[in-house]
Structure formats: C-alpha cells, structure tokens
C-alpha cells in the first residue's frame, strides 16, 4: 500500500503509515492505487484484450507473477479463480463480473500521492 511513498518525505515524517490500512478512506485509495499499478504492468497490458479483466487483476493481487496466467497453468491461479467466484457469489454478484474488462487508460486518476498527501 505504501509503495508510491517509498523514499518520500511524507513517509519519513509519518504522514502515511502502515496503520493507514485501518482508515477506510485511505485504505480504499491505496487499493485503487494498487489496482492502477497492476494495470500499468507490462504483464497486464500484454494480455490479449479479452483477458484484461477483473479476474486478471485478482490474480495479480494474489501474486503479480500470476497476472498473465489466464490459461491457469499454475495451481494458484485456479485457487484464485475459485476464491474470486466464491467471494462474488457471497456478495450477490454474478460471476460474469470477473470477466469484465479493465480500462487501460485512467485519464483523470490523480494517484495516491496526490489523494493522500
């Protein structure tokens, strides 16, 4: 969550800390920023467009190395899919939400550094 703040004065002065994950607003910003960083990875951008999905991001959250494993060759990718499907159903979402494409461009997204100074 604090990766954007590495070697910054904000982090050194304690204006952001690991405890910020317990602050709902800051935790949400950190989550969105992490998703944004996953989308920016070459391994996501090089996926065939039909695989640039919510599920690919979910795999990337389990391990960034899995983001491109859309064939689910690695066992952890299958576990991630199963967990994502269970979670979606538990909150009343249709499984098709996992296949929704993630936009590559976020033109008005300012980033965590600006949102949580």
């Amino acid at each position: 969550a604090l990766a954007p703040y590495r070697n910054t004065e904000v982090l050194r002065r304690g204006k952001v800390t690991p405890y910020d994950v317990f602050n709902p607003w800051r935790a949400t910003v950190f989550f969105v920023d992490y998703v944004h960083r996953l989308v920016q990875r070459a391994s996501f951008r090089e996926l065939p467009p039909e695989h640039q999905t919510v599920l690919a991001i979910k795999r990337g959250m389990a391990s960034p190395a899995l983001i491109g494993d859309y064939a689910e060759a690695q066992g952890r990718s299958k576990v991630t899919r199963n967990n994502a499907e269970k979670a979606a159903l538990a909150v009343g979402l249709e499984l098709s939400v996992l296949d929704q494409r993630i936009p590559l461009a976020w033109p008005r997204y300012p980033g965590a550094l600006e949102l949580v100074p």
Side-chain angles (χ1 to χ4, degrees):
L2 299 179
Y5 300 94
R6 234 180 247 138
N7 301 318
T8 65
E9 198 61 30
V10 174
L11 185 61
R12 282 191 282 278
R13 291 180 186 243
K15 291 187 177 185
V16 293
T17 74
Y19 295 103
D20 286 340
V21 298
F22 300 108
N23 174 302
W25 186 82
R26 285 183 174 219
T28 301
V29 170
F30 294 155
F31 171 77
V32 171
D33 202 69
Y34 185 50
V35 170
H36 184 257
R37 285 184 279 129
L38 288 172
V39 169
Q40 301 310 310
R41 292 176 67 96
S43 54
F44 183 81
R45 292 177 167 275
E46 292 168 358
L47 285 169
E50 65 273 14
H51 293 291
Q52 295 171 346
T53 63
V54 170
L55 183 58
I57 294 298
K58 180 65 179 112
R59 279 194 309 268
M61 290 179 162
S63 170
L66 297 176
I67 204 165
D69 187 21
Y70 60 89
E72 296 183 349
Q74 298 183 42
R76 190 165 178 198
S77 291
K78 293 175 187 170
V79 170
T80 300
R81 171 187 288 280
N82 289 337
N83 289 342
E85 288 175 350
K86 287 178 191 174
L89 293 172
V91 296
L93 296 175
E94 294 186 23
L95 295 182
S96 61
V97 75
L98 299 174
D99 296 323
Q100 288 183 346
R101 289 203 45 213
I102 301 291
L104 296 178
W106 298 22
R108 294 184 299 167
Y109 176 64
L113 287 172
E114 287 199 29
L115 293 169
V116 182

